[in-house]
Amino acid sequence: MNRRKLELYEALFKQYGPHTSHTMMADIAKAFVCSERHARTLLKQMSSYLWLKWLPTKGRGQKGQITCLIEPESACYLLVNHAVAAEKYDQVDHLLGFNQRDVSMGLKRYLASSVKQNSSTIFARFHRQINQLHPHLAFERTERHLIHEIFQTLVNSENHEIKPELAHTWKCSDDGKIWTFYLRESATFHDGSPIDAYEVVNNFKALSISDYWHSLYQHMIEVKAISSHVAQFTLSETDYSFAQLLSRAETAIMPSNQIYQPSHAYTPIGSGPFMVDIHSSRLIRLKRYPQYTGVTALINQIELWIYENWAEEKKCDQNFFFIHNQEDSYQVSTKEIGYFFLLLNRRELQRNEIKEPLVRLLETGETPNLNLTVPVNLSHENNNESRKLAKKLKSILPNVISEEVTFGHSTQRQDIRIGGIRCEYDKVTSFVAFFKLYPYWKRDLSWDQHSKLQAQIRKIRASYSPHEREYIVDKILKQLDDDNIMTIINSEDLTLNVPSRLKNVKINKIGWCDFAKLWLD
């Protein structure tokens, strides 16, 4: 109904313009294509919205005075604001598309208008719906980044250095098997409930039995509360890099009563710098949490607007922050936030004469001379780079059956896999996570190859030296490449276009920037 009023108001605006005019009710009814009686009702309603001012003159045939107060698009934005405030997000597209307007452009103009009027909110845009913000169920880069903004892990990892988060200090036994964490007693969840060691225990017990994560944390044989704010982990093997593991998104702490909630009943309640105000299919709104135990966020709130058609434009991550026309901007870039790989799962394909031509195809586009007549099952992950690499493979494999999977997941029936490894804060821990979480090594490798891989992972965990750990990871990758099993194809880089009014944008090791450190000029 409001959309129809917008369309009628625009017809009136086109006829009388943004100034005062004198006209008869019959002429207004003609513009509205309705009776004079209904035209009076519409004028009254539009006046109550403060779109126009109508001063009728008594007497039949007398001209009244009409003044259009705002542009039709401005009237639309007022209605959109009301729809957002009422959490009626399905109405946003409906309103922005009035009189056959392009909704994508309309949403951009609405955000531009909001930017000019609001100096305490950062507006961003995204091309797909954000999945459930549950630490154990977040696999995509954006969701895992948002986990870090909403929740806290025990510690944080940055440039091989472990920093406090929920734990203000920690210690490790000489043999690297017992880790003790001392929690901040002032920490609370966004709902005001306290965070204690028993919450930590419940979270890690759930993580250890997770269908997806258990293999990465299977050396964690016990976690217990020593006291209300001291949690202790006992490991089955030496792991001097265990603290780095506890900086990953899946280890973020949530209230115990939310861990096993079904998706329709789950609420993302954390203790991080931002709390979730709105999580809908069209809008994610994060608000500053003033009781955060770290450095309080400088910005009041962040709104992430979602419109799937934006995926057709330039790289969505590059244009994450909203920049309106003619606004000055700058770029922030970083390299090697992740890697893309080719994995040959079927033993018959693990030959140099097959691997090398496929690698050249993926790296340079050189068309190989392969004679693979048997059907090949190909899986690739659901990101643009994996899709692009998979498309190259499909162009030269005549009998290919292709399947797209969620990032970090595999299919049982795959002969060739295209996927990614994302470096979250610590490169070595990210590769160890990949090696431990991939479920089909025993099938893809010989017994000897599999034993060597597991032994190398144990060596990584038993090493004090970050440089030695990285050396062992490189050694594993070289061996997998030499055995024609897995090859790194290219690295993942990131460039963000940033409006000049937004300050302190620095890309972190998860491939985003820390929202809490941003501020508007």
Side-chain angles (χ1 to χ4, degrees):
M1 187 65 180
N2 283 330
R3 170 169 167 160
R4 181 56 182 157
K5 288 175 186 174
L6 277 172
E7 292 170 344
L8 293 174
Y9 177 68
E10 185 166 52
L12 203 65
F13 190 89
K14 287 180 178 179
Q15 184 164 333
Y16 297 107
H19 54 267
T20 300
S21 301
H22 293 85
T23 186
M24 297 179 66
M25 182 56 68
D27 296 325
I28 293 176
K30 186 176 180 181
F32 285 161
V33 193
C34 67
S35 67
E36 292 186 24
R37 182 177 181 180
H38 187 50
R40 291 189 183 92
T41 301
L42 290 170
L43 287 174
K44 186 177 180 180
Q45 291 173 341
M46 293 176 185
S47 296
S48 69
Y49 297 158
L50 302 181
W51 295 355
L52 56 77
K53 185 182 293 184
W54 167 248
L55 297 176
T57 303
K58 292 183 179 181
R60 188 174 181 82
Q62 297 297 312
K63 291 184 177 182
Q65 181 176 295
I66 187 170
T67 306
C68 294
L69 301 175
I70 60 175
E71 296 278 341
E73 283 198 355
S74 298
C76 175
Y77 299 158
L78 291 176
L79 292 178
V80 171
N81 288 341
H82 288 304
V84 172
E87 300 185 15
K88 297 180 179 179
Y89 307 107
D90 57 327
Q91 293 185 8
V92 172
D93 285 2
H94 185 67
L95 291 168
L96 291 172
F98 80 101
N99 271 334
Q100 307 303 313
R101 280 172 167 78
D102 179 81
V103 176
S104 176
M105 291 303 300
L107 186 51
K108 290 179 185 178
R109 287 194 289 266
Y110 168 72
L111 292 176
S113 174
S114 300
V115 164
K116 294 176 182 178
Q117 298 174 24
N118 196 324
S119 61
S120 62
T121 299
I122 293 174
F123 294 90
R125 60 185 187 134
F126 205 57
H127 66 286
R128 63 168 175 82
Q129 290 191 22
I130 299 296
N131 298 316
Q132 186 178 0
L133 295 173
H134 188 301
H136 300 177
L137 302 175
F139 304 107
E140 306 288 0
R141 183 189 300 281
T142 299
E143 281 82 351
R144 290 177 71 79
H145 167 66
L146 292 174
I147 292 294
H148 282 289
E149 299 290 351
I150 299 163
F151 300 85
Q152 285 181 284
T153 49
L154 291 178
V155 293
N156 200 352
S157 176
E158 188 175 331
N159 297 324
H160 304 305
E161 182 182 355
I162 303 300
K163 295 185 177 182
E165 270 261 287
L166 275 176
H168 61 83
T169 190
W170 54 93
K171 63 181 181 181
C172 169
S173 62
D174 291 342
D175 64 0
K177 291 184 178 181
I178 299 177
W179 288 78
T180 308
F181 294 85
Y182 300 85
L183 308 183
R184 300 179 191 271
E185 296 187 10
S186 60
T188 60
F189 289 115
H190 296 154
D191 63 359
S193 58
I195 302 175
D196 56 28
Y198 304 101
E199 296 283 3
V200 173
V201 169
N202 291 335
N203 274 261
F204 278 93
K205 282 185 175 178
L207 192 64
S208 68
I209 61 174
S210 161
D211 289 341
Y212 185 85
W213 298 109
H214 77 277
S215 59
L216 181 57
Y217 297 90
Q218 63 186 4
H219 67 318
M220 186 177 67
I221 58 177
E222 184 183 30
V223 54
K224 61 182 179 180
I226 301 298
S227 67
S228 61
H229 286 85
V230 180
Q232 189 174 86
F233 297 78
T234 301
L235 310 180
S236 61
E237 61 186 51
T238 299
D239 189 354
Y240 292 117
S241 60
F242 186 64
Q244 277 90 345
L245 192 63
L246 300 193
S247 69
R248 290 173 56 86
E250 68 270 11
T251 70
I253 305 302
M254 64 189 124
S256 298
N257 61 9
Q258 293 296 322
I259 296 174
Y260 300 105
Q261 289 283 6
S263 58
H264 68 273
Y266 171 76
T267 303
I269 300 172
S271 59
F274 290 94
M275 51 187 176
V276 178
D277 182 47
I278 295 172
H279 185 178
S280 76
S281 61
R282 292 304 312 279
L283 174 65
I284 305 288
R285 179 187 290 156
L286 304 181
K287 281 196 170 184
R288 178 172 55 201
Y289 180 48
Q291 280 75 49
Y292 174 54
T293 55
V295 178
T296 305
L298 299 174
I299 200 71
N300 184 51
Q301 65 182 27
I302 294 174
E303 290 191 359
L304 175 56
W305 284 84
I306 300 159
Y307 189 66
E308 293 182 0
N309 284 10
W310 284 336
E312 301 171 3
E313 300 180 16
K314 295 179 182 178
K315 288 180 65 178
C316 191
D317 54 1
Q318 182 173 341
N319 297 302
F320 178 74
F321 295 108
F322 180 75
I323 303 174
H324 61 75
N325 292 338
Q326 300 179 339
E327 182 178 13
D328 292 336
S329 64
Y330 62 97
Q331 288 190 333
V332 179
S333 301
T334 193
K335 294 184 177 298
E336 296 190 3
I337 60 172
Y339 301 88
F340 292 97
F341 62 83
L342 167 70
L343 180 61
L344 300 178
N345 305 98
R346 192 196 294 183
R347 296 285 183 89
E348 307 92 270
L349 299 178
Q350 294 172 2
R351 306 199 312 270
N352 190 64
E353 59 267 29
I354 292 178
K355 183 203 72 176
E356 285 299 329
L358 292 180
V359 170
R360 288 197 300 272
L361 168 69
L362 296 177
E363 289 182 341
T364 68
E366 178 184 331
T367 302
N369 183 20
L370 284 176
N371 186 25
L372 290 177
T373 58
V374 295
V376 173
N377 290 291
L378 167 68
S379 78
H380 66 275
E381 292 174 342
N382 58 341
N383 54 72
N384 288 336
E385 183 63 21
S386 291
R387 292 183 185 114
K388 183 172 73 174
L389 294 173
K391 185 177 180 180
K392 289 183 178 181
L393 289 179
K394 286 187 282 187
S395 69
I396 58 97
L397 297 174
N399 299 309
V400 64
I401 302 170
S402 180
E403 182 176 353
E404 183 170 290
V405 297
T406 304
F407 178 86
H409 288 68
S410 305
T411 61
Q412 189 169 3
R413 295 182 60 189
Q414 60 181 23
D415 302 316
I416 300 177
R417 181 186 175 197
I418 296 291
I421 301 169
R422 289 170 177 165
C423 297
E424 296 185 12
Y425 294 109
D426 182 76
K427 174 184 174 181
V428 171
T429 304
S430 298
F431 271 93
V432 169
F434 169 75
F435 295 140
K436 294 295 288 184
L437 292 172
Y438 179 63
Y440 302 121
W441 287 125
K442 286 186 177 180
R443 183 194 66 186
D444 299 345
L445 308 180
S446 68
W447 183 89
D448 184 57
Q449 290 169 331
H450 185 261
S451 297
K452 286 181 179 178
L453 175 62
Q454 297 307 313
Q456 295 286 53
I457 293 173
R458 288 193 293 272
K459 286 181 67 175
I460 291 172
R461 288 175 164 174
S463 173
Y464 272 116
S465 167
H467 299 293
E468 183 182 9
R469 293 173 196 157
E470 193 159 341
Y471 169 78
I472 298 171
V473 166
D474 290 339
K475 186 176 179 181
I476 293 173
L477 293 173
K478 184 178 185 306
Q479 188 62 56
L480 290 172
D481 187 33
D482 290 344
D483 290 340
N484 303 311
I485 296 165
M486 174 178 160
T487 301
I488 300 296
I489 300 300
N490 56 37
S491 65
E492 183 179 10
D493 306 328
L494 177 67
T495 298
L496 290 176
N497 289 330
V498 184
S500 58
R501 58 193 153 76
L502 184 58
K503 306 299 182 182
N504 205 33
V505 176
K506 299 175 182 178
I507 299 175
N508 60 27
K509 287 300 181 181
I510 203 171
W512 278 111
C513 58
D514 296 327
F515 288 168
K517 297 178 181 179
L518 306 180
W519 55 281
L520 287 167
D521 189 359

